[in-house]
Amino acid sequence: MHLWSRKAAGAGTSSVASRSSGLVSHSAAGHHPQSRVSSTTGDSCGRRQNSQGAAIMGLFSGLKKNKGEAEPSTSSVAARATTKEPMTQEEVEELCLELNKIGAVKFGEFKLKSGLMSPVYVDLRVIVSYPLVLEQVSRMMYSQVKDLQFDIMCGVPYTALPIATCMSLGFGLPMVMRRKEVKDYGTKRAIEGAYSAGQSCLIVEDLVTSGASVLETLDPLQKEQLKVTDVVVLIDREQGGAAHLEKNGLRLHAAFKLSAMLDVLQKHSLVDDTVASNVRAFIAENQTQLPAAAAAALGEVARDPARRAPSCCCCASSSSLSCKTTSSFMPSSCCCCCCSLLAAGVASCFCSAASAIC
């Protein structure tokens, strides 16, 4: 059985796009998913997608477990991963257990980028090494947005890119890519791919804490006159990200909430009550703050030196950038530009330790 196909191998002749028709509809009434990128492509585009779809399904047929990959919880995981039907509660729990087994969700003591010590660490970069898990993740996330209307998807770089690609291949959804570092040569484009102004775009993210990385992706998409109203994420850490995104006109659709994953792992005796209690307390006590001004200006300031405050001082400990976390951790001597950007999740506040000038 081919991946994502409901039919046996001998019957898989329709294109990826046609198999997903009716699941995700075009924002303009009457448009077929095959014509999402351009309404002028016509029948030739449909024929080309039929051919491409067959090639894609052939590419993914016979997918095998990687050497050293953790065995699925049951022998039926691969078979169930080949359907577009909504995931059952059993499958949802099974995926949660697999994410724990491959080390995508870890419990212990971990130093976060902010300097805080956390009892839980989520590292979803590892899922690219487990094709069956990656496919299950893509189906789980697709099930959250299958009834929404959107034309294209854009994965937040970098971890969400393979997830978005898997969703694109599996469900015939056109995709664009955001460059994290825009080149100063060639087309100099921030958004790569085929798209048109006015199209609706779904943002795909792996993990949401404050929502800052989603907002960084929102800015260049809106500059291309793409409409963005929805974000799908695998795990919501429940630390304020959904509220921050809502303030910026974005609805968050989460496949998992971290607390729900804890429930499943507790149920299967993989996390004891003490650890679970510590994680829940950490989440409740460390809600993120995302200043509205920082969110609105983030994209422009990060790329345009002229927008940075010309005379503001650096953080008290600029070498360690210790204030790049929630407002409660910002030293009083932090300047406005540093505090705003660091709170929004930018890796650097553009300060010069030597000159103490931003």
Side-chain angles (χ1 to χ4, degrees), residues 189-206:
R189 296 175 64 177
I191 303 297
E192 300 286 2
Y195 57 89
S196 302
Q199 284 188 310
S200 55
C201 180
L202 171 72
I203 293 180
V204 180
E205 177 64 301
D206 63 309

Side-chain angles (χ1 to χ4, degrees), residues 108-347:
E109 286 193 19
F110 304 93
K111 185 175 182 179
L112 302 180
K113 186 177 180 180
S114 63
L116 292 176
M117 295 304 294
S118 170
V120 61
Y121 187 70
V122 181
D123 179 11
L124 296 172
R125 291 178 290 269
V126 70
I127 65 176
V128 297
S129 298
Y130 300 89
L132 293 180
V133 175
L134 177 58
E135 195 282 327
Q136 285 283 70
V137 163
S138 72
R139 186 158 70 93
M140 177 79 172
M141 293 175 65
Y142 174 74
S143 68
Q144 308 304 310
V145 295
K146 64 184 179 64
D147 295 322
L148 299 181
Q149 293 186 342
F150 56 90
D151 302 311
I152 55 178
M153 301 184 303
C154 182
V156 176
Y158 292 106
T159 308
L161 292 180
I163 298 174
T165 302
C166 201
M167 291 173 66
S168 177
L169 288 172
F171 301 101
L173 305 173
M175 172 184 164
V176 296
M177 292 194 306
R178 171 201 154 209
R179 280 188 177 273
K180 201 165 187 178
E181 301 87 13
V182 178
K183 304 298 183 182
D184 59 0
Y185 54 85
T187 62
K188 303 180 182 180
R189 296 175 64 177
I191 303 297
E192 300 286 2
Y195 57 89
S196 302
Q199 284 188 310
S200 55
C201 180
L202 171 72
I203 293 180
V204 180
E205 177 64 301
D206 63 309
L207 177 73
V208 163
T209 303
S210 70
S213 60
V214 171
L215 295 176
E216 289 178 34
T217 298
L218 174 67
D219 179 69
L221 290 172
Q222 290 182 330
K223 278 182 166 51
E224 297 297 321
Q225 301 181 53
L226 293 169
K227 300 175 183 177
V228 185
T229 57
D230 295 276
V231 180
V232 62
V233 65
L234 178 60
I235 299 177
D236 175 10
R237 283 188 59 119
E238 301 176 277
Q239 290 182 255
H244 298 152
L245 295 178
E246 185 177 7
K247 289 178 183 178
N248 285 272
L250 301 176
R251 295 184 294 263
L252 183 65
H253 307 269
F256 287 115
K257 291 185 181 294
L258 190 54
S259 60
M261 296 189 74
L262 279 174
D263 291 339
V264 172
L265 296 175
Q266 276 187 281
K267 173 183 173 181
H268 291 269
S269 302
L270 294 171
V271 172
D272 62 37
D273 293 343
T274 300
V275 171
S277 177
N278 290 340
V279 171
R280 291 190 174 94
F282 177 84
I283 292 172
E285 295 167 7
N286 291 277
Q287 292 294 298
T288 59
Q289 303 294 324
L290 189 63
L298 182 60
E300 286 291 337
V301 175
R303 286 188 295 274
D304 185 1
R307 293 286 301 277
R308 302 171 197 160
S311 60
C312 78
C313 64
C314 287
C315 301
S317 55
S318 59
S319 60
S320 62
L321 298 178
S322 61
C323 64
K324 57 184 175 187
T325 181
T326 59
S327 58
S328 61
F329 289 86
M330 292 177 185
S332 58
S333 58
C334 256
C335 65
C336 58
C337 77
C338 290
C339 289
S340 299
L341 292 170
L342 293 173
V346 180

